[in-house]
Amino acid sequence: MFILKGIDQLTNAIAKAKKVRPRVEFDRFGRYRVSGSKGYYMVICRKDERGYKTVACTCKGAEKGLACYHAAAALSLHIGLARQQQTA
Ligand SMILES: [Zn+2]
């Protein structure tokens, strides 16, 4: 799990997501399934009680606090959906 502070920390993960092009499946708002090398990973995007945006992924990298490409792929969908909700 990591705290999303800015898009900068995702630069490498976004580049990898663009290369790998994982499948992102919508489960519900803030919850996505992303395809990886060993099946699907679950990515949870939410705001914690202090107002921090946290992103959790079930892969090994994210367990160590790294911004993985699954999270980057899910976030690009999540941010688009969040924007739609705000303007709706
Ligand atoms: Zn991951």
Side-chain angles (χ1 to χ4, degrees):
M1 194 270 278
F2 63 92
I3 294 169
L4 185 66
K5 295 187 187 103
I7 205 79
D8 291 354
Q9 76 195 100
L10 288 173
T11 309
N12 291 338
I14 290 169
K16 179 141 190 215
K18 277 186 181 154
K19 216 162 108 188
V20 179
R21 296 193 150 276
R23 268 177 68 100
V24 182
E25 288 179 5
F26 177 79
D27 186 14
R28 59 180 157 82
F29 184 71
R31 199 175 153 111
Y32 311 93
R33 274 186 300 272
V34 183
S35 66
S37 52
K38 288 174 184 147
Y40 278 85
Y41 296 106
M42 184 71 79
V43 179
I44 315 273
C45 312
R46 65 184 199 95
K47 260 197 191 131
D48 74 3
E49 52 284 352
R50 290 166 301 172
Y52 290 115
K53 287 178 190 157
T54 65
V55 185
C57 176
T58 49
C59 78
K60 288 272 171 233
E63 262 175 32
K64 293 178 201 150
L66 299 173
C68 60
Y69 74 90
H70 318 112
L75 271 169
S76 65
L77 177 63
H78 180 70
I79 289 164
L81 292 171
R83 219 168 264 153
Q84 278 175 25
Q85 282 200 340
Q86 277 164 16
T87 54

